[in-house]
Amino acid sequence: MLKKSVCVLLTVLFIAQSAFCDTATSYDDIDFPQWTKDLRRTEIIAFGSLPFVTLWTTLGYSLAVKGSFHNPLDKSTSSFTQSEQKQIMAIAAATSIGLGLFDLTINLITRQVKNQKKKKIPKTIVVVPFSQELKEQVPPPPKQEEFNEEEFTPDESPKMEESKPYLIKGMENALF
């Protein structure tokens, strides 16, 4: 009876705790230093790959040393000696740590390249309203000489050069 009441009490407390908490904080919401995030990722990759690397190391070791396929999960076949098991585990552990360090190296190099590219981008950006930009770029129209429309035929009429407003400075002379 006491065990059941303790289980019920713990269940109620657990549910009450999760029901009344304000917000859940994820791992990314906490401002950990970058080196701790890198170390944690390396640790996860190294320890997470250990079972798979151990299995493949065992299969490779049995083919290379014994010359035949030795299923490590089958109890009916002969097993490895204790020294062979130590060698397999040492190779698997070294390979797993190597995978974690390789991933860490790739991430550090990638982050450094991204930071160098960010440094090359100019840091000051000036935002100019479009109306102000037009005032600066478009010169006032030149004074036109008065002419009599009757004197000119449509083909001979003086043509006025249109000034086009551009959003990007230096694009006035570009050909489109």
Side-chain angles (χ1 to χ4, degrees):
M1 180 66 181
L2 180 63
K3 290 182 181 180
K4 288 183 181 180
S5 61
V6 169
C7 288
V8 169
L9 178 64
L10 288 175
T11 305
V12 169
L13 288 175
F14 178 74
I15 292 172
Q17 177 188 3
S18 62
F20 293 114
C21 80
D22 292 338
T23 58
T25 303
S26 70
Y27 181 73
D28 291 335
D29 293 341
I30 302 171
D31 292 329
F32 287 112
Q34 188 60 45
W35 68 269
T36 59
K37 292 179 183 179
D38 292 339
L39 183 65
R40 179 67 178 151
R41 179 182 168 98
T42 303
E43 176 188 3
I44 289 170
I45 290 174
F47 287 123
S49 66
L50 186 61
F52 303 104
V53 170
T54 303
L55 177 65
W56 287 106
T57 303
T58 304
L59 295 175
Y61 187 85
S62 67
L63 285 174
V65 174
K66 297 208 176 210
S68 64
F69 177 72
H70 179 76
N71 187 355
L73 304 176
D74 189 10
K75 299 276 185 185
S76 65
T77 60
S78 64
S79 63
F80 294 107
T81 64
Q82 191 172 7
S83 66
E84 289 176 333
Q85 290 176 355
K86 286 180 182 179
Q87 286 178 340
I88 289 171
M89 287 307 296
I91 292 168
T95 305
S96 294
I97 291 172
L99 286 173
L101 292 176
F102 180 74
D103 179 71
L104 175 66
T105 304
I106 295 297
N107 283 334
L108 290 176
I109 291 171
T110 305
R111 189 176 308 119
Q112 185 178 10
V113 168
K114 284 181 183 177
N115 288 339
Q116 287 176 352
K117 285 182 180 179
K118 282 182 184 177
K119 288 179 183 178
K120 291 180 181 179
I121 297 174
K123 294 180 182 170
T124 56
I125 298 174
V126 179
V127 178
V128 180
F130 183 69
S131 60
Q132 184 179 355
E133 184 75 23
L134 284 178
K135 288 178 188 174
E136 291 175 1
Q137 280 189 356
V138 178
K143 294 182 181 178
Q144 298 178 3
E145 297 178 12
E146 291 186 22
F147 64 92
N148 206 349
E149 289 183 19
E150 297 171 356
E151 294 178 10
F152 296 101
T153 61
D155 294 334
E156 298 175 356
S157 62
K159 296 183 180 178
M160 298 300 295
E161 203 174 296
E162 296 180 16
S163 60
K164 298 179 183 176
Y166 292 97
L167 294 176
I168 303 172
K169 288 185 178 180
M171 295 299 292
E172 297 86 14
N173 299 328
L175 298 174
F176 291 103

